[in-house]
Amino acid sequence: MLDGVLYAASCNAAKLTSGYLNCYFHAFNAANGAELWHTPAPTPDGSLSQTDPVGSSSVIYYAGMSRVYAVDAHTGSILWTYTACTKNCSIGNLVATQHTLYIEIDSDSSSLLALNLAHRSVLWSKNVQPYSGEVWLLQQGLIYTSADQYHVKALDATSGVVLKSYTNGSEVINVFTLVLQAG
């Protein structure tokens, strides 16, 4: 939610549009539920990924299979698209900061990609071990990712360099979270 607006992606047969295979990105007034706008989501196969939409300033980002869409948060106009990967791949999580969009790419070998938003150029890309149920989060300049079932790694968000690695011996790490101490 950004400025009292709820953003959602869906596929709806009632709003079928030629060429868009009935998938849309929506904005709703969070107070009363009224739809503010919807825009076609022209995904290659007509399905949207389950990636949550994320926002930065007045732009909302969402993923459709191999593409990332930047949408004007106020009008629903598609500002630009970026093809993050090709051939047998999809986009997992998205995380946006003011200047960078971090993209999780799922394929034969999973990777994290940092995209400069001003120029839509790749700042860095890092291969990580594919792991079912992979979790990652951005906190205080570090990206924490479950690189395999036994390790959580902390990457520098600016460069993608692995700075720390955490393990629990030979025990599987299923999920993790980061709790920051105040002060």
Side-chain angles (χ1 to χ4, degrees):
M1 188 162 53
L2 183 67
D3 297 329
V5 178
L6 176 68
Y7 299 94
S10 71
C11 293
N12 182 342
K15 293 183 177 173
L16 181 62
T17 302
S18 175
Y20 293 107
L21 301 174
N22 69 346
C23 294
Y24 281 79
F25 190 67
H26 305 266
F28 298 97
N29 179 310
N32 63 21
E35 183 179 83
L36 302 173
W37 52 258
H38 65 269
T39 190
T43 59
D45 71 348
S47 65
L48 290 175
S49 71
Q50 297 302 310
T51 302
D52 294 333
V54 297
S56 176
S57 303
S58 61
V59 179
I60 302 298
Y61 306 95
Y62 71 95
M65 291 305 292
S66 61
R67 290 190 185 131
V68 173
Y69 296 84
V71 177
D72 183 293
H74 304 290
T75 66
S77 299
I78 295 175
L79 301 171
W80 52 263
T81 64
Y82 178 79
T83 302
C85 59
T86 58
K87 294 186 181 181
N88 301 323
C89 63
S90 63
I91 296 173
N93 293 319
L94 297 175
V95 173
T97 66
Q98 185 175 4
H99 303 290
T100 308
L101 182 66
Y102 298 92
I103 305 167
E104 176 189 18
I105 300 172
D106 298 322
S107 64
D108 293 335
S109 64
S110 296
S111 61
L112 296 175
L113 181 138
L115 184 70
N116 176 301
L117 291 172
H119 305 289
R120 288 185 289 289
S121 59
V122 175
L123 296 170
W124 57 263
S125 179
K126 183 81 170 178
N127 285 334
V128 294
Q129 290 289 94
Y131 176 59
S132 178
E134 182 175 348
V135 175
W136 66 282
L137 52 93
L138 174 65
Q139 201 63 247
Q140 296 182 334
L142 295 176
I143 296 173
Y144 294 86
T145 181
S146 53
D148 61 34
Q149 61 185 347
Y150 305 107
H151 296 87
V152 173
K153 293 186 179 183
L155 288 74
D156 178 81
T158 305
S159 66
V161 171
V162 175
L163 299 177
K164 300 176 186 176
S165 182
Y166 308 90
T167 187
N168 194 17
S170 61
E171 295 181 26
V172 174
I173 299 172
N174 293 319
V175 295
F176 67 89
T177 190
L178 180 66
V179 178
L180 299 175
Q181 295 180 356

